[in-house]
Amino acid sequence: MTQSIVIQVGQCGNQIGCRFWDLALREHAAHNKSGVYDEALGSFFRNVDNRYEDLPNVDAGDTKTKIRSLKARAVMIDMEEGVVNEMVKGSVGELFDHRQLITDVSGCGNNWAVGHKLYGVQYRDHIIECVRRAAEQCDCLQCFFIIHSMGGGTGSGVGTSILSVLEDEFPEIYRFVTAVYPSSDDDVITSPYNSVLAMHQLTEHADCVMPIENQALHDICHKINQAFPSDKPGKRVAMATVGKVTTEGSLAAGAVKSRGGNPSAEEKPFDRMNNIVANLLLNLTSSSRFEGNLNVDLNEISTNLVPFPKLHYLVASQTPLYAVSDMHMPPRRLDQMFTDAFSRDHQLIRADPKNSLYLACGLICRGNLHVSDIRRNIDRLRPSLRFIHWNTDGWKTGLCSVPPVGQPYSLLALANNTCIRNTFTDLKDRFYRLYKRKAHMHHYTEVEGMEASQFAQSLESLTELISEYQELETMQPQEVPRLEAAS
């Protein structure tokens, strides 16, 4: 099987990453009962011998070997130390190789230029060294997953500078980005600047981008709380926290540590929101990690869902929706699950793809399903979905036999849909309200290497992107005259 490396940048990226590694361990612990290091584990984890300083891989030889000590295939970057230090001291801290941590102390001050032009340049060689070390420990590296926010300085600035580094140093490896967009009422005044400047880089250097909106995550968590209020006994099932991950011969020995019926006792403020994004990554990579009747490789996602190079923004939705303490929610009916995936309430951005145009759509199913179930639901939903005229059968489907923890099945939908332009238009409007007055621009242009022209270039890039989606939505099929045989 192939391997992937997760690069988590900034406070948001590292907090999501922390949830991802926690949930990935739980998922593999539920699937791997034998304590054997197998190919599924190898996709995101190394099995190392921690008796040595350089943490060499445990040689499995021709047979599978027992788990010695798991290390995440991860690079963690933040220009402040707090979040990364907290992760290292937390329940999954033993997963991380301290040589793969890159931190500073002063932060980026919510300034894209400081992150991209200052720290991105200053730490470029160090970042290359860490990524190359992680890549050399892979047998068949397929993808980099970059997780960062768009509104802050480190996530937007350093996060997007890494993209160009990866493109230069590893041009054949896919670059998938999970980018968290700020809410319209975000408390960072300069977040529209940071987001638009970062978007220019995402459009030019990423292979696939999965935009996530903070407000959409907040709305989803609110719906979960309404559906399963904590004061109703029996509705919630408190999940365990992961125990030691270094116990020889087991994946998560002593993994059950009850929260005593109070799921919020160990939760942090954004755990529930971050958990939804972490589950998106777990579902996306399920076919790369586990067996299935219809596996979908990550390269197939890019090949089938991105018809034009710059239109690589995929609108994600998943069902069932669950947060940290709700992973044993009552299961949805199978057909209802497919209906939910195309509803507005389950989108990870505030948009309604059913009222816009699909360029392509991917469905990644997990659990006790059959290919016939997927085909039946596609046929049922097809009349209510509008696909572009030259790709009316633009479906890519996958089926992984291993369900998520606590559920019999799940569905992740990835839509290349013109509804994304509404999100981008709103961001452009917020950017322009600052830009037309040149407000706060001096904080950016004071940074060495940052030119005022980059604001105009980024705005132009975003405008062109919106226009391309708009043109496709209004495109009408052209009748091609039939050839007639000469008499």
Side-chain angles (χ1 to χ4, degrees), residues 196-270:
V196 172
L197 289 164
M199 271 204 66
H200 186 198
Q201 304 299 314
L202 294 182
T203 302
E204 296 296 328
H205 302 297
D207 290 306
C208 280
V209 180
M210 289 161 288
I212 313 290
E213 280 190 302
N214 259 331
Q215 188 60 50
L217 294 177
H218 179 272
D219 293 345
I220 287 171
C221 290
H222 180 65
K223 291 184 180 72
I224 293 173
N225 290 337
Q226 286 184 321
F228 301 95
S230 58
D231 58 349
K232 291 186 179 180
K235 286 292 186 181
R236 289 184 184 272
V237 177
M239 290 301 296
T241 55
V242 174
K244 296 185 73 173
V245 297
T246 57
T247 304
E248 184 171 346
S250 67
L251 180 56
V256 179
K257 187 188 293 182
S258 173
R259 289 178 176 171
N262 181 12
S264 62
E266 296 180 15
E267 283 183 17
K268 296 171 187 173
F270 297 104

Side-chain angles (χ1 to χ4, degrees), residues 77-207:
I77 303 168
D78 198 358
M79 295 300 104
E80 295 177 350
E81 295 178 312
V83 172
V84 172
N85 286 345
E86 189 176 354
M87 282 181 59
V88 172
K89 295 174 183 176
S91 60
V92 295
E94 295 177 15
L95 280 177
F96 305 118
D97 183 347
H98 287 223
R99 296 174 300 172
Q100 299 299 92
L101 313 180
I102 301 176
T103 60
D104 205 287
V105 293
S106 56
C108 292
N110 297 320
N111 189 323
W112 178 89
V114 174
H116 196 88
K117 300 293 185 180
L118 180 62
Y119 288 124
V121 174
Q122 179 179 335
Y123 284 97
R124 179 185 172 91
D125 291 342
H126 193 180
I127 291 170
I128 291 174
E129 178 187 355
C130 289
V131 174
R132 192 176 300 282
R133 182 187 298 119
E136 289 173 350
Q137 293 161 347
C138 297
D139 294 325
C140 184
L141 177 60
Q142 184 179 39
C143 186
F144 293 109
F145 287 99
I146 304 100
I147 310 171
H148 63 80
S149 71
M150 298 288 281
T154 302
S156 67
V158 180
T160 53
S161 73
I162 291 171
L163 271 178
S164 59
V165 169
L166 297 177
E167 188 176 39
D168 292 341
E169 300 292 327
F170 305 91
E172 304 300 320
I173 309 300
Y174 286 95
R175 299 173 296 280
F176 278 55
V177 179
T178 302
V180 180
Y181 283 67
S183 306
S184 56
D185 58 351
D186 187 71
D187 59 357
V188 178
I189 295 174
T190 55
S191 66
Y193 280 163
N194 297 332
S195 299
V196 172
L197 289 164
M199 271 204 66
H200 186 198
Q201 304 299 314
L202 294 182
T203 302
E204 296 296 328
H205 302 297
D207 290 306

Side-chain angles (χ1 to χ4, degrees), residues 319-322 326-332 366-368 402-410:
T319 180
L321 290 171
Y322 44 80
D326 300 303
M327 294 174 69
H328 287 292
M329 288 168 55
R332 303 288 280 172
R366 301 183 61 181
N368 187 25
V402 177
V405 175
Q407 293 292 326
Y409 37 66
S410 70

Side-chain angles (χ1 to χ4, degrees), residues 17-43:
C18 185
R19 298 302 315 135
F20 169 78
W21 294 112
D22 184 9
L23 295 178
L25 272 181
R26 296 182 190 187
E27 190 165 279
H28 284 283
H31 175 69
N32 185 332
K33 303 294 186 181
S34 62
V36 169
Y37 181 75
D38 55 15
E39 289 184 337
L41 264 175
S43 57

Side-chain angles (χ1 to χ4, degrees), residues 339-446:
T339 301
D340 289 345
F342 291 90
S343 71
R344 185 187 186 99
D345 291 344
H346 284 67
Q347 309 302 315
L348 300 190
I349 65 169
R350 290 183 298 167
D352 189 1
K354 290 184 73 172
N355 291 329
S356 297
L357 183 70
Y358 283 85
L359 307 182
C361 185
L363 300 177
I364 300 177
C365 306
R366 301 183 61 181
N368 187 25
L369 287 84
H370 301 284
V371 175
S372 58
D373 295 321
I374 302 175
R375 290 174 178 165
R376 184 186 74 253
N377 277 281
I378 288 177
D379 291 339
R380 178 176 63 87
L381 293 166
R382 191 192 301 270
S384 64
L385 306 175
R386 187 162 62 98
F387 275 73
I388 197 161
H389 63 88
W390 40 259
N391 197 25
T392 55
D393 293 318
W395 298 87
K396 181 63 182 176
T397 57
L399 178 54
C400 171
S401 59
V402 177
V405 175
Q407 293 292 326
Y409 37 66
S410 70
L411 171 62
L412 168 65
L414 296 172
N416 197 331
N417 190 289
T418 57
C419 69
I420 192 69
R421 69 182 175 85
N422 298 322
T423 300
F424 295 161
T425 300
D426 177 66
L427 176 60
K428 176 185 172 183
D429 292 342
R430 287 188 281 131
F431 173 91
Y432 195 70
R433 283 199 291 270
L434 294 175
Y435 181 62
K436 68 181 179 181
R437 294 177 174 84
K438 302 297 186 285
H440 303 284
M441 277 185 60
H442 65 285
H443 298 300
Y444 291 76
T445 54
E446 287 172 354

Side-chain angles (χ1 to χ4, degrees), residues 293-310:
N293 295 328
L294 195 63
N295 276 3
V296 174
D297 218 347
L298 292 171
N299 60 349
E300 296 180 72
I301 298 292
S302 177
T303 302
N304 289 275
L305 302 188
V306 182
F308 305 106
K310 295 184 178 181

Side-chain angles (χ1 to χ4, degrees), residues 273-288:
M273 295 168 64
N274 294 336
N275 188 70
I276 293 171
V277 184
N279 276 304
L280 162 65
L281 296 174
L282 288 176
N283 291 330
L284 177 63
T285 59
S286 59
S287 286
S288 299

